[in-house]
Amino acid sequence: MGIKTEALRLDLEVRRLADQHPSVAHPPSSVYLTSRADTLVIQSATLRIDDQKHRYDYSLTEAHAINEGAAHPLVRLPLSPGEHRLRAEVVALPGGDPRGKRVVARIDQPFSLPETGGNIELHLDNSGMKHLLGGASLLVRQHGAADLSLTSPSAQFFTVTGQYFQAISALQYAASRGVHISHATLTENTRAYGIAAASPPVNDPVYDRYNQAVALLESGSDEQGLAMLKALVDADYEDYDKQQLQDKVSLALGYYYLSRYLPSEAQEHFRRVRRLTDYANHALIGLGWALLKPDNPALAGSKTAAPAPGQAGANYLWSSSDDEVAWARRRAPFRRAWSVVSGAMKEDLRNALVPWMELIADDPFDPAVQEGMLIIPYAMTHMGDFAQAERYYLRAQEQLLTVRSSIQARMQHVQSGQLSTGIDLYLQRRDNGWDAWLARVIADPATEYVNDLISNPGFLDAVQDYRTLSELDDAMREHRQHPALEIDEAQPLRDGIDAVLARIHSERHDARQRMELAALASLSVHYNRVETYLAEAGFALARIHDSPRLSGGATPQGRRP
């Protein structure tokens, strides 16, 4: 039996055992937050019961889920029967507008917990006059221990936040107690959790058309393929992923027309790529080349000589690979190292420098920005401005050396186990919904480089496995400490949990190793690329120092006259 399935079986057995022996230990009480204030977006909830305080900050996804009927299990507390004092504060924004006036709902009241235990629901309400006056109130509802009415809403919250084990745990327990559950929700979670066959993918016609267009271009049916791609770019999409696809297509069309000696059309498509997106810097590279390359009616429509398949730069025009972004600079347009242009060509070079100058102000870890660091002095060299070119090459060297040192530090950070330790610390926190997917790890300056690693499927898969196994480990350890497991008849259950914990420990160790190896592999790719750029900058500086044109009196920086 798989470890995930076995963990769920043991989870249900522990719950059933606890129900059969209620006198062994008083069950902990859960506090849930629900809402019918759908015009308010919850930001945070602060809860204090007697001397126990808890706070939770909500992500936008979680807040919307609560407004749509989900129940968030804020905390589980070991409350004894008798009188208690509850104080709570919920902060929300009208419509989620960060500039809007915050709505604060508070409550302070005593409550009595019966001998049989129970759960508490905090309900945010802004109906009636409260809505008209821009306010809201908190209501306290008590639920008996046998009341499972919040099970499906809590499973809905777990599903939205990717906590599939917790969602299935809640649903299967409710079903075992005869409660009607949503089998569609259960199926969704079992598939996401990886213990049921994944549903066949639903083909999106937009992506189908994109793939068909690419296939047409690759088969030589350019006219049909281009028409389909242009229609896709011209469509009006609000979906973020489809807008990203439009940027990718615009970039590809730009390089397509650039390779066909149609730079004017290439410029149009490069300029359509939105700023601050994954494809923006690559588009600035292409735009500069399109501005540099004049229209040539005699060659229009023909193909630029490209690398052979299997060589660096092969299929460049349809690739967003960072390794190939330097293809154009390394192959064209100047065939002689000391070519110095004049007239219209010099003006074209000045025009090309505009987007390239914009590019180098961006993140120096971005490969497209690194390419920009070398393109600019490359262009200046062919404008005859050797002194300026040398200054920019020296600046590129300095920046690239800093980047290389940072990559080395990151590799050491991974090798020392600090990355895994940092992920562990964030997985253990339960006070914030903004870490739905490594967001807080990325926000930490020590581990922000994870943002560059998650595009590596191997790293992402390993982290997902590591997170799931960590959640299983937490759940099984909590069950192992349950007082009901101390009775004699629970020995098989104790043995089963101990066996699963041993398997979790082993598999978690493997996932951690895979995560670290994938991280190091990605960082090594970045490191090797920077090394290549440093070598190119060094050779370019050597060429400048050896330039016969300097004999006329120009003296580059750092060279003795």
Side-chain angles (χ1 to χ4, degrees), residues 248-561:
K248 180 178 181 178
V249 171
S250 294
L251 181 69
L253 286 172
Y255 278 111
Y256 174 88
Y257 285 114
L258 188 60
S259 73
R260 264 65 176 179
Y261 295 92
L262 295 168
S264 296
E265 292 193 50
Q267 291 175 37
E268 175 189 345
H269 290 287
F270 286 133
R271 287 191 168 107
R272 295 187 71 160
V273 177
R274 297 168 302 151
R275 293 294 181 260
L276 304 178
T277 65
D278 293 343
Y279 302 100
N281 287 341
H282 284 73
L284 289 172
I285 294 282
L287 179 58
W289 288 118
L291 290 166
L292 177 59
K293 195 172 184 180
D295 286 321
N296 189 334
L299 295 174
S302 62
K303 295 183 180 181
T304 301
Q311 295 180 346
N315 301 318
Y316 171 74
L317 298 175
W318 284 104
S319 173
S320 61
S321 168
D322 294 327
D323 293 321
E324 298 169 348
V325 73
W327 173 76
R329 175 178 57 83
R330 290 169 181 163
R331 294 187 62 86
F334 302 104
R335 298 304 182 196
R336 295 181 62 246
W338 310 123
S339 298
V340 174
V341 297
S342 60
M345 187 62 174
K346 192 166 188 175
E347 189 60 31
D348 289 335
L349 269 173
R350 289 197 180 98
N351 291 335
L353 282 171
V354 175
W356 292 340
M357 284 290 190
E358 178 183 344
L359 180 69
I360 63 168
D362 211 330
D363 180 10
F365 286 88
D366 185 335
V369 175
Q370 294 166 5
E371 171 63 14
M373 294 177 189
L374 299 191
I375 285 183
I376 290 171
Y378 168 86
M380 290 175 173
T381 298
H382 293 290
M383 291 171 67
D385 194 343
F386 294 101
Q388 273 282 75
E390 187 195 30
R391 279 194 288 272
Y392 273 94
Y393 275 127
L394 289 171
R395 175 186 173 186
Q397 274 191 328
E398 182 180 351
Q399 288 182 292
L400 290 168
L401 285 169
T402 300
V403 170
R404 186 178 68 177
S405 295
S406 296
I407 295 174
Q408 289 173 323
R410 292 172 176 183
M411 295 173 78
Q412 177 60 34
H413 191 264
V414 176
Q415 290 169 331
S416 66
Q418 293 181 73
L419 171 62
S420 299
T421 301
I423 290 175
D424 281 338
L425 290 174
Y426 286 112
L427 287 175
Q428 291 167 13
R429 298 188 65 168
R430 298 289 185 268
D431 63 346
N432 193 306
W434 291 100
D435 58 344
W437 188 238
L438 293 180
R440 290 176 67 185
V441 176
I442 293 169
D444 187 329
T447 50
E448 63 181 353
Y449 63 90
V450 169
N451 192 44
D452 298 324
L453 302 179
I454 56 178
S455 60
N456 179 342
F459 177 78
L460 194 56
D461 289 344
V463 174
Q464 288 172 331
D465 290 343
Y466 190 74
R467 180 192 183 197
T468 298
L469 290 165
S470 297
E471 291 174 348
L472 293 183
D473 187 70
D474 290 343
M476 292 298 102
R477 289 184 184 279
E478 181 180 347
H479 284 332
R480 189 63 180 84
Q481 301 300 318
H482 198 290
L485 263 69
E486 297 305 315
I487 63 177
D488 292 340
E489 65 184 80
Q491 182 63 48
L493 196 51
R494 291 196 297 270
D495 293 342
I497 292 177
D498 289 341
V500 164
L501 281 170
R503 290 176 61 190
I504 290 173
H505 177 77
S506 175
E507 292 192 21
R508 192 164 173 260
H509 176 74
D510 291 344
R512 176 172 176 154
Q513 283 192 319
R514 285 189 287 112
M515 178 173 68
E516 292 174 347
L517 287 173
L520 288 172
S522 287
L523 290 170
S524 294
V525 169
H526 290 297
Y527 182 86
N528 292 335
R529 183 183 300 114
V530 172
E531 285 280 86
T532 299
Y533 279 126
L534 276 169
E536 289 185 326
F539 284 129
L541 282 167
R543 283 198 302 269
I544 289 177
H545 292 171
D546 294 336
S547 170
R549 294 180 179 274
L550 294 177
S551 60
T555 303
Q557 290 182 346
R559 184 183 185 223
R560 294 178 182 177

Side-chain angles (χ1 to χ4, degrees), residues 2-332:
I3 192 170
K4 296 178 180 179
T5 304
E6 178 66 2
L8 284 169
R9 184 189 70 79
L10 292 169
D11 174 82
L12 184 58
E13 290 298 317
V14 171
R15 288 170 175 261
R16 284 173 170 170
L17 184 67
D19 288 344
Q20 293 166 8
H21 300 276
S23 60
V24 173
H26 196 271
S29 298
S30 293
V31 181
Y32 297 85
L33 178 65
T34 62
S35 173
R36 60 174 292 181
D38 56 3
T39 59
L40 298 177
V41 177
I42 299 172
Q43 288 191 300
S44 67
T46 304
L47 172 72
R48 185 189 291 272
I49 295 182
D50 301 331
D51 293 327
Q52 302 180 73
K53 185 178 179 180
H54 186 78
R55 175 189 169 94
Y56 193 91
D57 296 313
Y58 289 90
S59 69
L60 192 61
T61 299
E62 292 172 327
H64 286 322
I66 293 173
N67 283 342
E68 292 170 3
H72 174 218
L74 261 169
V75 67
R76 294 179 71 212
L77 298 171
L79 299 177
S80 58
E83 298 301 316
H84 299 274
R85 181 184 180 188
L86 181 150
R87 286 166 287 179
E89 176 185 276
V90 174
V91 178
L93 285 173
D97 183 0
R99 297 166 297 180
K101 183 180 178 181
R102 294 194 313 166
V103 175
V104 181
R106 296 186 178 93
I107 194 168
D108 184 345
Q109 72 175 54
F111 70 96
S112 179
L113 191 69
E115 288 290 335
T116 55
N119 300 312
I120 299 167
E121 177 186 359
L122 282 174
H123 183 74
L124 182 66
D125 180 39
N126 75 334
S127 59
M129 289 300 295
K130 290 186 288 293
H131 174 68
L132 295 175
L133 297 174
S137 62
L138 275 176
L139 306 176
V140 175
R141 299 168 178 167
Q142 286 190 249
H143 298 261
D147 183 352
L148 300 178
S149 60
L150 291 174
T151 298
S152 288
S154 66
Q156 181 182 343
F157 184 88
F158 288 133
T159 302
V160 167
T161 54
Q163 300 177 75
Y164 305 118
F165 174 83
Q166 298 291 352
I168 300 169
S169 169
L171 291 170
Q172 71 173 6
Y173 175 67
S176 73
R177 295 281 301 273
V179 176
H180 175 73
I181 64 169
S182 168
H183 286 284
T185 302
L186 181 59
T187 300
E188 177 186 353
N189 279 281
T190 55
R191 284 173 173 164
Y193 184 55
I195 59 174
S199 56
V202 178
N203 292 334
D204 188 313
V206 173
Y207 295 98
D208 285 345
R209 287 196 295 274
Y210 167 74
N211 291 327
Q212 184 181 355
V214 172
L216 286 168
L217 282 173
E218 290 176 344
S219 67
S221 302
D222 289 24
E223 186 175 348
Q224 288 179 275
L226 290 173
M228 293 178 69
L229 289 178
K230 288 179 179 179
L232 194 156
V233 168
D234 291 336
D236 186 16
Y237 297 122
E238 295 183 2
D239 179 77
Y240 175 78
D241 289 335
K242 290 186 175 64
Q243 289 176 346
Q244 283 278 85
L245 179 63
Q246 287 180 307
D247 289 331
K248 180 178 181 178
V249 171
S250 294
L251 181 69
L253 286 172
Y255 278 111
Y256 174 88
Y257 285 114
L258 188 60
S259 73
R260 264 65 176 179
Y261 295 92
L262 295 168
S264 296
E265 292 193 50
Q267 291 175 37
E268 175 189 345
H269 290 287
F270 286 133
R271 287 191 168 107
R272 295 187 71 160
V273 177
R274 297 168 302 151
R275 293 294 181 260
L276 304 178
T277 65
D278 293 343
Y279 302 100
N281 287 341
H282 284 73
L284 289 172
I285 294 282
L287 179 58
W289 288 118
L291 290 166
L292 177 59
K293 195 172 184 180
D295 286 321
N296 189 334
L299 295 174
S302 62
K303 295 183 180 181
T304 301
Q311 295 180 346
N315 301 318
Y316 171 74
L317 298 175
W318 284 104
S319 173
S320 61
S321 168
D322 294 327
D323 293 321
E324 298 169 348
V325 73
W327 173 76
R329 175 178 57 83
R330 290 169 181 163
R331 294 187 62 86

